[in-house]
PDB file of all heavy atoms in Angstrom:
ATOM      1  N   LYS I 766      74.113  73.865  95.664  1.00 92.00           N
ATOM      2  CA  LYS I 766      75.483  73.811  96.292  1.00 92.00           C
ATOM      3  C   LYS I 766      75.907  72.359  96.476  1.00 92.00           C
ATOM      4  O   LYS I 766      77.068  72.017  96.176  1.00 92.00           O
ATOM      5  CB  LYS I 766      75.452  74.540  97.631  1.00 92.00           C
ATOM      6  CG  LYS I 766      75.343  76.052  97.515  1.00 92.00           C
ATOM      7  CD  LYS I 766      75.249  76.650  98.903  1.00 92.00           C
ATOM      8  CE  LYS I 766      74.939  78.193  98.839  1.00 92.00           C
ATOM      9  NZ  LYS I 766      74.729  78.835 100.129  1.00 92.00           N
ATOM     10  N   ASP I 767      75.045  71.495  97.071  1.00 92.00           N
ATOM     11  CA  ASP I 767      75.458  70.153  97.302  1.00 92.00           C
ATOM     12  C   ASP I 767      75.821  69.437  96.019  1.00 92.00           C
ATOM     13  O   ASP I 767      76.797  68.707  95.990  1.00 92.00           O
ATOM     14  CB  ASP I 767      74.232  69.400  97.945  1.00 92.00           C
ATOM     15  CG  ASP I 767      73.970  69.843  99.382  1.00 92.00           C
ATOM     16  OD1 ASP I 767      74.945  70.471  99.958  1.00 92.00           O
ATOM     17  OD2 ASP I 767      72.879  69.546  99.904  1.00 92.00           O
ATOM     18  N   LYS I 768      75.089  69.710  94.929  1.00 90.00           N
ATOM     19  CA  LYS I 768      75.428  69.074  93.668  1.00 90.00           C
ATOM     20  C   LYS I 768      76.772  69.571  93.140  1.00 90.00           C
ATOM     21  O   LYS I 768      77.602  68.794  92.614  1.00 90.00           O
ATOM     22  CB  LYS I 768      74.305  69.404  92.620  1.00 90.00           C
ATOM     23  CG  LYS I 768      74.520  68.747  91.276  1.00 90.00           C
ATOM     24  CD  LYS I 768      74.307  67.245  91.359  1.00 90.00           C
ATOM     25  CE  LYS I 768      74.433  66.586  90.043  1.00 90.00           C
ATOM     26  NZ  LYS I 768      74.543  65.084  90.221  1.00 90.00           N
ATOM     27  N   ALA I 769      77.027  70.913  93.338  1.00 92.00           N
ATOM     28  CA  ALA I 769      78.320  71.447  92.885  1.00 92.00           C
ATOM     29  C   ALA I 769      79.427  70.934  93.691  1.00 92.00           C
ATOM     30  O   ALA I 769      80.521  70.581  93.161  1.00 92.00           O
ATOM     31  CB  ALA I 769      78.289  72.990  93.043  1.00 92.00           C
ATOM     32  N   TYR I 770      79.270  70.785  95.010  1.00 93.00           N
ATOM     33  CA  TYR I 770      80.330  70.185  95.937  1.00 93.00           C
ATOM     34  C   TYR I 770      80.657  68.804  95.426  1.00 93.00           C
ATOM     35  O   TYR I 770      81.899  68.394  95.371  1.00 93.00           O
ATOM     36  CB  TYR I 770      79.932  70.077  97.389  1.00 93.00           C
ATOM     37  CG  TYR I 770      79.584  71.440  98.057  1.00 93.00           C
ATOM     38  CD1 TYR I 770      78.750  71.493  99.162  1.00 93.00           C
ATOM     39  CD2 TYR I 770      80.097  72.692  97.606  1.00 93.00           C
ATOM     40  CE1 TYR I 770      78.418  72.650  99.787  1.00 93.00           C
ATOM     41  CE2 TYR I 770      79.762  73.836  98.231  1.00 93.00           C
ATOM     42  CZ  TYR I 770      78.903  73.837  99.288  1.00 93.00           C
ATOM     43  OH  TYR I 770      78.614  75.034  99.944  1.00 93.00           O
ATOM     44  N   GLU I 771      79.633  68.098  95.146  1.00 91.00           N
ATOM     45  CA  GLU I 771      79.816  66.689  94.722  1.00 91.00           C
ATOM     46  C   GLU I 771      80.617  66.573  93.441  1.00 91.00           C
ATOM     47  O   GLU I 771      81.528  65.737  93.310  1.00 91.00           O
ATOM     48  CB  GLU I 771      78.411  66.020  94.553  1.00 91.00           C
ATOM     49  CG  GLU I 771      78.400  64.544  94.278  1.00 91.00           C
ATOM     50  CD  GLU I 771      77.023  64.033  94.021  1.00 91.00           C
ATOM     51  OE1 GLU I 771      76.058  64.540  94.632  1.00 91.00           O
ATOM     52  OE2 GLU I 771      76.898  63.082  93.254  1.00 91.00           O
ATOM     53  N   MET I 772      80.299  67.390  92.456  1.00 91.00           N
ATOM     54  CA  MET I 772      80.977  67.376  91.178  1.00 91.00           C
ATOM     55  C   MET I 772      82.446  67.803  91.373  1.00 91.00           C
ATOM     56  O   MET I 772      83.343  67.286  90.693  1.00 91.00           O
ATOM     57  CB  MET I 772      80.322  68.379  90.239  1.00 91.00           C
ATOM     58  CG  MET I 772      78.983  67.883  89.686  1.00 91.00           C
ATOM     59  SD  MET I 772      78.287  69.061  88.553  1.00 91.00           S
ATOM     60  CE  MET I 772      79.480  68.984  87.160  1.00 91.00           C
ATOM     61  N   TYR I 773      82.666  68.797  92.274  1.00 93.00           N
ATOM     62  CA  TYR I 773      84.069  69.266  92.491  1.00 93.00           C
ATOM     63  C   TYR I 773      84.919  68.182  93.089  1.00 93.00           C
ATOM     64  O   TYR I 773      86.054  68.009  92.784  1.00 93.00           O
ATOM     65  CB  TYR I 773      84.028  70.521  93.344  1.00 93.00           C
ATOM     66  CG  TYR I 773      85.295  71.374  93.253  1.00 93.00           C
ATOM     67  CD1 TYR I 773      85.558  72.088  92.038  1.00 93.00           C
ATOM     68  CD2 TYR I 773      86.253  71.370  94.226  1.00 93.00           C
ATOM     69  CE1 TYR I 773      86.741  72.848  91.944  1.00 93.00           C
ATOM     70  CE2 TYR I 773      87.456  72.106  94.091  1.00 93.00           C
ATOM     71  CZ  TYR I 773      87.648  72.880  92.879  1.00 93.00           C
ATOM     72  OH  TYR I 773      88.794  73.557  92.797  1.00 93.00           O
ATOM     73  N   LYS I 774      84.276  67.440  94.035  1.00 93.00           N
ATOM     74  CA  LYS I 774      85.009  66.377  94.714  1.00 93.00           C
ATOM     75  C   LYS I 774      85.364  65.257  93.702  1.00 93.00           C
ATOM     76  O   LYS I 774      86.488  64.703  93.717  1.00 93.00           O
ATOM     77  CB  LYS I 774      84.129  65.829  95.858  1.00 93.00           C
ATOM     78  CG  LYS I 774      84.860  64.781  96.725  1.00 93.00           C
ATOM     79  CD  LYS I 774      84.015  64.291  97.904  1.00 93.00           C
ATOM     80  CE  LYS I 774      84.782  63.364  98.764  1.00 93.00           C
ATOM     81  NZ  LYS I 774      85.386  62.197  98.090  1.00 93.00           N
ATOM     82  N   GLU I 775      84.426  64.973  92.807  1.00 90.00           N
ATOM     83  CA  GLU I 775      84.643  63.939  91.802  1.00 90.00           C
ATOM     84  C   GLU I 775      85.886  64.397  90.982  1.00 90.00           C
ATOM     85  O   GLU I 775      86.781  63.531  90.628  1.00 90.00           O
ATOM     86  CB  GLU I 775      83.494  63.788  90.889  1.00 90.00           C
ATOM     87  CG  GLU I 775      82.290  63.005  91.534  1.00 90.00           C
ATOM     88  CD  GLU I 775      81.078  62.985  90.760  1.00 90.00           C
ATOM     89  OE1 GLU I 775      81.108  63.436  89.592  1.00 90.00           O
ATOM     90  OE2 GLU I 775      79.998  62.572  91.270  1.00 90.00           O
ATOM     91  N   LYS I 776      85.938  65.654  90.551  1.00 89.00           N
ATOM     92  CA  LYS I 776      87.041  66.174  89.671  1.00 89.00           C
ATOM     93  C   LYS I 776      88.366  66.076  90.498  1.00 89.00           C
ATOM     94  O   LYS I 776      89.406  65.583  89.945  1.00 89.00           O
ATOM     95  CB  LYS I 776      86.782  67.587  89.345  1.00 89.00           C
ATOM     96  CG  LYS I 776      87.772  68.091  88.245  1.00 89.00           C
ATOM     97  CD  LYS I 776      87.302  69.463  87.682  1.00 89.00           C
ATOM     98  CE  LYS I 776      86.258  69.318  86.581  1.00 89.00           C
ATOM     99  NZ  LYS I 776      86.769  68.871  85.314  1.00 89.00           N
ATOM    100  N   GLU I 777      88.334  66.388  91.799  1.00 91.00           N
ATOM    101  CA  GLU I 777      89.567  66.376  92.625  1.00 91.00           C
ATOM    102  C   GLU I 777      89.969  64.951  92.781  1.00 91.00           C
ATOM    103  O   GLU I 777      91.247  64.665  92.726  1.00 91.00           O
ATOM    104  CB  GLU I 777      89.248  67.002  93.999  1.00 91.00           C
ATOM    105  CG  GLU I 777      90.509  67.024  94.875  1.00 91.00           C
ATOM    106  CD  GLU I 777      90.255  67.799  96.149  1.00 91.00           C
ATOM    107  OE1 GLU I 777      89.450  68.705  96.191  1.00 91.00           O
ATOM    108  OE2 GLU I 777      90.863  67.306  97.201  1.00 91.00           O
TER     109      GLU I 777
END
Side-chain angles (χ1 to χ4, degrees):
K766 286 175 190 176
D767 288 342
K768 185 66 178 168
Y770 299 156
E771 186 185 327
M772 288 180 65
Y773 200 72
K774 187 177 182 306
E775 285 172 9
K776 191 170 279 284
E777 183 175 327

